[in-house]
Amino acid sequence: MQSKLPQVATNIFSVMSGLAKDYQAINLSQGFPDFPIADELIDYVHQAMRDGHNQYAPMTGMPMLREILAEKINKLYGRAIHPDEEITITPGGTYSIYTSLATILYPGDEVIVLEPAYDSYIANIESMQAQAVCVPLRFPDFSVDWEVVQQAITVKTKAIVINTPHNPCGYVWSKEDMVQLQHMLRDTSIYIISDEVYEHITLDGRKHESVLAYPELFERSFVTFSFGKVFHTTGWKMGYCVAPKKCMLEFRKMHQFLSFSCNTPMQVALANYLQDETAYLSLPDFFQRKRDLFLDLISALPFTIYNPTPGSYFQLAGFKAIQDVSDKEFAIWMTKEIGVATIPVSAFYRNGKDDQLIRFCFAKKEETLKAAAEKMKRLML
Ligand code: GLN
């Protein structure tokens, strides 16, 4: 069969999680927590099922969930979103990004992607016969070089994909970044696909800058959020897209023929659980403790930490002092021989650029992080 994605193999998250399982390694690769979710949230799901919320939800999502999300957005980002017209509940964040791209792209369009980048963006773009124009972020802090981004714009540029806090690097966009983006896109018709799934995981007192807080940006944006990343429920595959009415109308035309709607009892449960804002407002402190513990645990190991991650639940580390090999070789070796699985950062580049970095996920129980650090002590020998 002729492949639509000849360059694409099984994605790195499946590969490394599979390898971790095969070799019984501690899995710090794929981004998911290993601690339990809130009992209250589980109770809400049971309750919703018992109350009979087991049939199709409305295509756009349960009204009670869209309403509480609109309130949350207003409170956090100071923007009045219309819950019926500007929010759609989706089966996960990755789906929301795909559908946003499918809504706007025609063959031959160009989309600017800042690399390293979450692996689905480019595959999505190419599957639509559009072209990803990759712009590198600055090594080693992975900040945005706005001049280089500006130079990548052509008459064919249809959209730019942005991601803050950033996966895999953790870079958190500043106000200045948002202003630069605004300035760059003014007087163009370029759309923004904004991946904000780590919105609540900002560390060291940083604040998340959402395109929702910038009217000029939001009017051209499709913004993706994830319940999986916020409530530790990645296996539920639940997220949402926020976009201005004219964009959302078109997004829904696609969505209704992709999944149509998504999991009803989970939507009811999430709507109830979201009434208590502490569940998400406590996340920066919660993950700050995990990041600090993890950095402390690995501080004596021969990794190079260019900077403590400012956001997301990922920490990058250079390994050249341990082995001067490719990042894929190192990640596979570490899984098999040391018993700790990570993600090689070259997987986030279309051309496989290798800065000899691996990505650790520290969204794990304290005991998991300690056990991983214990295993990695062998790297010092
Ligand atoms: N977003 C998660 C990560 O970067 C995983 C998503 C996936 O497995 N496709 O690890």
Side-chain angles (χ1 to χ4, degrees), residues 11 13-14 29-32 94 118-120 167-168 197-198 229 234 237 313-314 343 348 359 361:
N11 84 339
F13 307 111
S14 310
S29 66
Q30 198 173 19
F32 63 88
T94 302
Y118 179 53
D119 62 349
S120 76
N167 177 12
V197 299
Y198 300 100
K229 300 295 179 190
T234 62
K237 292 301 297 175
Y313 45 49
F314 303 118
I343 299 285
F348 296 83
R359 186 195 82 174
C361 171

Side-chain angles (χ1 to χ4, degrees), residues 131-180:
Q131 204 192 330
V133 175
C134 297
V135 173
L137 293 167
R138 282 196 199 101
F139 185 85
D141 69 346
F142 298 98
S143 57
V144 186
D145 186 334
W146 285 103
E147 267 178 42
V148 185
V149 182
Q150 175 77 56
Q151 283 160 13
I153 295 181
T154 73
V155 285
K156 291 190 191 161
T157 307
K158 181 56 91 52
I160 176 169
V161 183
I162 68 169
N163 171 215
T164 178
H166 187 266
N167 177 12
C169 309
Y171 182 74
V172 176
W173 282 36
S174 63
K175 227 186 192 76
E176 179 58 23
D177 286 319
M178 304 306 277
V179 171
Q180 290 275 5

Side-chain angles (χ1 to χ4, degrees), residues 252-264:
R252 288 173 174 176
K253 289 185 191 174
M254 303 298 291
H255 167 65
Q256 68 183 344
F257 297 128
L258 282 167
S259 80
F260 175 65
S261 64
C262 56
N263 205 306
T264 309

